[in-house]
Amino acid sequence: MSNFFLKKLSPKRLFHRLILIFLIPLIVTQISTIYFFYERHWEKIINRFTNIAANKIIFIINELDKNRIDNAKKIAANLNLIIYDENIVDQKNNRIGIFERKIKEIIKNRVEKTDEVIFFEEEVLFKYYINNKIFIISFTKKYLLSQTPIIIF
């Protein structure tokens, strides 16, 4: 019974067999290669930009540890960052994707004092408690997260 069903489904002409045997595996291979290439590429880009951001945060935190708040704010301004010295965060964004999780993981591994990483539409906030005081460092989301991978997925 199943043999008859397979015979009925299999292609009868040479052109159709060529498509089935040659073109379909070729197309599947191309699609999977493209997918894995871009997946790796985006991961490398996110790793690099997040490591650069972690270095900037560490630099600023070292200044805050030494109670040089004004100096840390000047450095942050030169690096196009904003330091808030009060708690400005009321709500959290609970929708965290793959790339946001990767950013959070890298920052928490690289910067020891990271209390919280909060993602908003236009910015990413990194919350720290230094000398019993809250400091929030703000990065633009475009700096850490390219919009290209988000469009495709």
Side-chain angles (χ1 to χ4, degrees):
M1 184 83 171
S2 65
N3 205 8
F4 175 72
F5 182 70
L6 286 175
K7 229 181 208 182
K8 194 174 181 181
L9 270 177
S10 64
K12 308 285 188 272
R13 301 199 166 240
L14 186 61
F15 178 72
H16 299 276
R17 287 181 183 177
L18 174 75
I19 289 175
L20 189 66
I21 293 170
F22 182 71
L23 290 180
I24 291 176
L26 181 70
I27 291 169
V28 168
T29 304
Q30 288 290 323
I31 290 171
S32 62
T33 303
I34 290 168
Y35 172 78
F36 289 119
F37 169 77
Y38 279 111
E39 184 70 26
R40 258 172 122 204
H41 172 71
W42 292 323
E43 188 172 337
K44 281 182 186 178
I45 295 298
I46 287 173
N47 276 336
R48 287 180 184 161
F49 282 131
T50 306
N51 282 327
I52 292 168
N55 290 338
K56 290 179 179 183
I57 290 170
I58 290 169
F59 186 58
I60 291 170
I61 286 177
N62 286 339
E63 289 298 312
L64 292 172
D65 269 341
K66 297 172 186 173
N67 285 324
R68 299 182 192 162
I69 297 170
D70 294 332
N71 195 26
K73 286 187 178 187
K74 285 180 191 174
I75 292 170
N78 289 337
L79 295 173
N80 295 326
L81 305 176
I82 301 169
I83 297 179
Y84 301 104
D85 50 0
E86 72 261 356
N87 196 0
I88 60 163
V89 182
D90 291 333
Q91 77 273 10
K92 296 179 187 175
N93 187 359
N94 293 329
R95 190 176 155 257
I96 295 178
I98 298 167
F99 301 114
E100 285 92 349
R101 268 187 250 128
K102 186 73 175 171
I103 290 169
K104 202 174 198 178
E105 174 188 327
I106 291 170
I107 291 290
K108 287 198 174 200
N109 287 339
R110 293 275 325 270
V111 185
E112 296 171 358
K113 299 176 181 181
T114 305
D115 183 52
E116 201 172 356
V117 180
I118 305 156
F119 293 91
F120 287 110
E121 196 69 34
E122 296 294 323
E123 65 182 347
V124 181
L125 303 177
F126 300 96
K127 192 174 184 180
Y128 299 95
Y129 288 100
I130 301 169
N131 300 331
N132 297 326
K133 195 171 181 188
I134 294 176
F135 290 99
I136 297 175
I137 301 173
S138 172
F139 276 83
T140 58
K141 196 169 186 178
K142 288 180 184 177
Y143 183 81
L144 291 170
L145 192 63
S146 171
Q147 295 299 316
T148 310
I150 294 172
I151 293 170
I152 292 177
F153 292 108

